[in-house]
Structure formats: C-alpha cells, structure tokens
C-alpha cells in the first residue's frame, strides 16, 4: 500500500454541529500518512473553535489556521493549499464525511490508472446524518463533460501534484469556486477517472450555499466568463442551452439512482 503523504484541505465556518464527525472521518483513514490542513473562516461559534483547538492539540496531523475576517470557502481552501506538503491534495468540507478506506482505495486506483485527478460517487444525507440518496459518478469525466455541469463532488476529489504541479488554487469567486478550479485542472489533465463506489458522505444542509440554486445562476455564468474566457453572450447561451439541460438530466438520474439505492438498503435491513 502506498504511503505517500496526503494533504487534506478543509475549510470551516460555524460547522460545530458536524465538524467532529468530519475531522474524525479524515483522521481515522486506513491511509495514515496525512496532514489535515484546516483554515477557519473567522467562525463566531464557540463550539467550532473548541473542536478545532481540541483536535489540533490531540493529533499533530491537524494544523489549523484562523482567518481574522470572513473571506469565503474558496479563500480558506487556498490558504490550506499554500501550506500543503503532500504529493496528493484531497478535499473534505467541514460538514462532509469520508468512509474509512477512501484514501487507501483512491490512491491505489490513481497509481494503477496513472491518473492525475480522481473522484468517487458519494452518499447524500440530511442534517441528522440520515441517508437520503446517492450521486453515482461516471467512470470517466472529460473537460467537455465538466463544462456542461459539475460532475465531481468536491469532497471526493484528489489530484496528484507530482503529475500536475502545485499551481492550482480556487479562483476568487465567492461561490462555485470548486467547480472552477476542477475545470482548470481538467483542462490540463483531460480526464478525471472516478471510482463508482460511494466513498464519501455529502451533507445536504438546508442553509447551505448549494441549496440556494437560483442565487447561483450568476456564479455559473461567471465561471464561463471569468475562468473559461467566454464572452458574456456565449456565457449565458452556454448556461441556458447546455448547462441547464445537462443539470436537469443529472437531477433526474440522481433521483432514479437514489430510489434504487434506498430500496436496496431497506431490503438489506429488513
């Protein structure tokens, strides 16, 4: 089993209700050679700050930086990326969780495939941790596919700095910066190989940015305009005639996959 150092990037902001589970899921990986680089985005919640202090004292692999003002998740992730020492850069948000063998399986898969970027499927759960669905990833995600819609869950993504270098950071967008960065990576490496088994849990929070879909329209358009260099007309045309149809098809597929997943789970527990 490969024991290359993995740098895990985690932004936090008032995530105390979920944060312990997220941190523990990283530290309990079967792949032990990792550093958990947390950048706290000026949390005001005492519980979050107490959890960060407790884990950083208990495990030397946990390294926390505290921002003095709120800058957004992209900026916080970048501060952690700048400190990363590992060959592999992985992402886990402060309200998501990993399965215990995620890193071990993913890195072995990347080495076997000689791929620079890898993702996985993930299970969707609610704020109480109840599993509500699944997002099954395509086995291969190309740059063209990712331009039409984000098919990579940020908390499942890992890239290899030995193959790609240490040059990828989140753009200065307040939202959708994870998709924008993945596009810049995929534009270079061409293909993201994915493990179709779910190896992470995505928490669908009622107050999350991604839950406010209409407010994200302008940020989707900005990705096309600011990151990919499309003119403003092309950006809107691409969004309405390519992104939206692809997104709705993805949602329909996810609903069908989730119904099947929950039915099979119910039958197994019967």
């Amino acid at each position: 089993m490969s024991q290359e150092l993995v740098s895990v990037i985690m932004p936090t902001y008032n995530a105390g209700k979920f944060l312990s589970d997220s941190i523990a899921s990283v530290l309990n990986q079967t792949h032990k050679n990792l550093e958990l680089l947390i950048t706290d985005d000026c949390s005001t919640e005492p519980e979050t700050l107490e959890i960060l202090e407790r884990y950083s004292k208990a495990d030397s692999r946990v390294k926390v930086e505290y921002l003095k003002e709120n800058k957004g998740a992209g900026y916080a992730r970048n501060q952690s990326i700048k400190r990363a020492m590992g060959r592999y850069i992985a992402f886990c948000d402060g309200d998501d969780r990993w399965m215990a063998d995620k890193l071990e399986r993913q890195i072995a898969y990347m080495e076997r495939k000689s791929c620079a970027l890898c993702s996985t499927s993930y299970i969707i759960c609610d704020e109480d941790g109840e599993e509500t669905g699944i997002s099954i990833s395509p086995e291969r995600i190309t740059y063209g596919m990712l331009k039409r819609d984000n098919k990579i869950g940020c908390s499942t993504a890992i890239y290899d700095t030995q193959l790609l270098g240490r040059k990828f950071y989140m753009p200065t967008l307040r939202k959708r910066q994870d998709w924008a960065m993945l596009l810049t990576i995929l534009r270079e490496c061409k293909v993201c190989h994915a493990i179709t088994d779910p190896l992470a849990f995505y928490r669908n929070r009622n107050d999350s940015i991604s839950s406010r879909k209409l407010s994200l329209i302008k940020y989707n358009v900005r990705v096309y305009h600011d990151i990919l260099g499309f003119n403003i007309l092309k950006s809107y045309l691409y969004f309405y005639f390519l992104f939206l149809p692809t997104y709705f098809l993805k949602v329909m597929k996810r609903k069908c996959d989730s119904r099947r997943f929950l039915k099979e789970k119910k039958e197994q527990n019967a």
Side-chain angles (χ1 to χ4, degrees), residues 79-213:
Q79 296 307 110
S80 291
I81 293 171
K82 289 175 184 177
R83 296 184 283 139
M85 301 296 292
R87 170 178 173 177
Y88 293 99
I89 305 291
F91 298 87
C92 184
D93 284 349
D95 52 2
D96 295 339
R97 291 180 291 129
W98 287 351
M99 293 187 180
D101 60 349
K102 177 187 182 290
L103 288 182
E104 180 182 351
R105 288 185 59 183
Q106 217 167 342
I107 291 169
Y109 180 85
M110 293 177 75
E111 292 180 347
R112 188 166 67 250
K113 291 278 189 179
S114 297
C115 63
L117 176 64
C118 179
S119 63
T120 79
S121 299
Y122 57 88
I123 294 171
I124 303 165
C125 62
D126 61 19
E127 291 196 356
D128 297 320
E130 185 73 23
E131 295 177 12
T132 60
I134 192 170
S135 179
I136 300 178
S137 175
E139 291 186 6
R140 296 175 78 257
I141 302 168
T142 65
Y143 176 62
M145 291 167 65
L146 201 69
K147 279 198 300 184
R148 291 176 176 237
D149 174 54
N150 188 9
K151 293 173 172 58
I152 301 175
C154 186
S155 287
T156 77
I158 299 179
Y159 69 89
D160 185 348
T161 65
Q162 193 171 99
L163 297 178
L164 291 172
R166 298 180 180 274
K167 58 191 175 187
F168 296 104
Y169 293 92
M170 299 276 173
T172 55
L173 300 173
R174 188 74 180 184
K175 305 173 186 177
R176 305 299 277 165
Q177 67 283 128
D178 54 339
W179 179 39
M181 187 192 74
L182 290 165
L183 276 167
T184 61
I185 294 175
L186 203 50
R187 183 161 51 188
E188 180 163 326
C189 69
K190 309 303 181 188
V191 177
C192 172
H193 291 270
I195 297 174
T196 55
D197 292 338
L199 296 180
F201 295 87
Y202 168 76
R203 195 181 301 272
N204 194 9
R205 294 170 58 184
N206 294 331
D207 63 343
S208 67
I209 288 174
S210 59
S211 70
R212 301 190 289 274
K213 302 300 182 185

Side-chain angles (χ1 to χ4, degrees), residues 10-12 37-41 65 67 76-77 79-80 83:
M10 180 180 287
T12 59
L37 303 172
I38 301 174
T39 299
D40 181 73
D41 197 17
E65 178 181 345
L67 299 182
R77 289 189 186 107
Q79 296 307 110
S80 291
R83 296 184 283 139

